[in-house]
Amino acid sequence: MNIKTLYRRFRAWQLNPFSYQNHSQHVERCANCGTEFQSNYCPVCGQKSGVGPICWKTVRQGLMVIWGMDSRSLLFTLVQLLLRPGYLISDYISGKRQASFPPVKMLLIVAIAQLLAYTFVADPEAAAEETIKTSNDVFARWTRSNPGWSMMAISSIFLLPTWLLYRFSPKHRKHTLPEGFFIQVFMGTLISIIGTFSVLTDNLYILWLWPFYYLVAYRQLFCYGWWGTFWRLCICFVVASGTILNLQQLGNHLLNLETIPIKTISLDRKSGSAGMPRPI
């Protein structure tokens, strides 16, 4: 099998990775509501067909649900996010949500993994010796301590410019801001994955995958050409960078205000005022 054939199969999987089949070949009675049906799930209450007595398989499935390894697998969704990011986001905002792990929950789980990676892999002595001098130091420490919220904050900066520049795209024309919110949640998860790999491998060059994945994801999601996607994304990065710089300058200004010594003004005990002549 040559490389061209493998690439064609990969492209076919990217466009349609799901295969829905009816595995129930006979009429069943739902153990929960008693409805008779011939499908994978009960049309009334939604319980899965073939539910029998509790066994070790039930225990295994119950444990897997905790870690997101049930029908909407966390691992499968993360693989899709790495190999077909824009198509996955497009499927989700188009209504194909059953096969995807909940994006906000996924972001929080990946953020916890990133926090654990930094806690156990990063140099604790260097973190202890770190001093806060500017707002950049405050932002860096807060980012490491709260990776989930920081990824949400960084990704939210792209929300408005993405909505303005891509709302007339060939696909997902006039997408709404709520849809843009979930777009940035997926992208924030992707950034967290890249950050986790960067911490585990102690390689900062991996962080360059961040703009690359934005380009690929937006290309697959909005279906502009590579050049049309690139220059719009460049404007998004310029707007986001300007917003971050303005916030950092504001933070530096606030920190400088806190370091200004406050001069106390002594009050005249008899007059009860400062610098005012006492009445004769």
Side-chain angles (χ1 to χ4, degrees):
M1 187 179 297
N2 55 23
I3 298 179
K4 185 178 293 186
T5 303
L6 291 175
Y7 177 73
R8 288 176 179 175
R9 290 188 176 183
F10 175 70
R11 285 288 298 166
W13 176 83
Q14 278 188 318
L15 296 174
N16 186 20
F18 310 111
S19 178
Y20 298 103
Q21 298 178 358
N22 186 2
H23 299 287
S24 179
Q25 301 298 329
H26 57 277
V27 178
E28 299 188 16
R29 177 180 291 272
C30 178
N32 184 51
C33 65
T35 303
E36 293 185 352
F37 63 96
Q38 187 178 359
S39 180
N40 296 332
Y41 295 90
C42 175
V44 177
C45 66
Q47 180 163 287
K48 190 175 182 179
S49 62
V51 174
I54 294 179
C55 57
W56 287 112
K57 181 180 179 181
T58 310
V59 176
R60 177 180 61 83
Q61 292 175 346
L63 294 175
M64 292 177 66
V65 169
I66 299 177
W67 303 103
M69 303 299 293
D70 53 340
S71 59
R72 294 187 289 178
S73 170
L74 172 62
L75 180 60
F76 181 64
T77 305
L78 292 178
V79 170
Q80 290 189 77
L81 192 59
L82 290 172
L83 298 181
R84 52 186 301 269
Y87 296 130
L88 171 64
I89 300 173
S90 178
D91 291 339
Y92 187 85
I93 64 177
S94 297
K96 297 180 180 180
R97 300 177 189 137
Q98 183 61 32
S100 174
F101 193 80
V104 178
K105 183 179 179 181
M106 179 172 58
L107 174 61
L108 294 178
I109 293 176
V110 173
I112 292 174
Q114 182 181 3
L115 178 61
L116 293 176
Y118 179 80
T119 302
F120 292 104
V121 176
D123 187 5
E125 295 181 358
E129 295 177 356
E130 181 183 8
T131 58
I132 297 178
K133 297 180 180 180
T134 64
S135 64
N136 297 339
D137 302 327
V138 177
F139 178 75
R141 176 172 293 187
W142 179 78
T143 300
R144 289 191 292 267
S145 303
N146 305 273
W149 293 111
S150 62
M151 288 303 101
M152 284 290 296
I154 294 174
S155 299
S156 63
I157 299 177
F158 287 84
L159 177 60
L160 188 58
T162 297
W163 178 74
L164 291 173
L165 292 171
Y166 290 91
R167 62 192 308 258
F168 298 108
S169 60
K171 192 174 182 180
H172 301 294
R173 294 179 58 86
K174 298 183 179 180
H175 71 279
T176 62
L177 288 177
E179 291 175 343
F181 167 79
F182 283 102
I183 291 173
Q184 299 309 323
V185 168
F186 277 108
M187 296 307 301
T189 304
L190 194 54
I191 296 171
S192 295
I193 296 174
I194 296 173
T196 303
F197 279 117
S198 176
V199 172
L200 292 176
T201 59
D202 194 19
N203 187 354
L204 295 178
Y205 291 103
I206 296 180
L207 296 178
W208 284 103
L209 290 174
W210 178 6
F212 169 77
Y213 262 110
Y214 256 99
L215 177 63
V216 173
Y218 277 28
R219 168 72 173 84
Q220 296 176 354
L221 175 61
F222 298 109
C223 291
Y224 275 118
W226 287 108
W227 172 245
T229 304
F230 177 76
W231 71 261
R232 288 176 174 84
L233 189 59
C234 287
I235 296 178
C236 289
F237 273 101
V238 169
V239 174
S241 301
T243 304
I244 293 176
L245 289 176
N246 289 329
L247 291 176
Q248 289 178 346
Q249 291 180 357
L250 178 61
N252 289 332
H253 179 68
L254 294 177
L255 287 176
N256 292 333
L257 288 179
E258 292 180 359
T259 58
I260 297 177
I262 301 177
K263 297 181 179 180
T264 57
I265 302 176
S266 59
L267 299 177
D268 191 290
R269 295 182 178 179
K270 294 183 180 180
S271 64
S273 59
M276 297 293 294
R278 288 178 295 177
I280 300 175

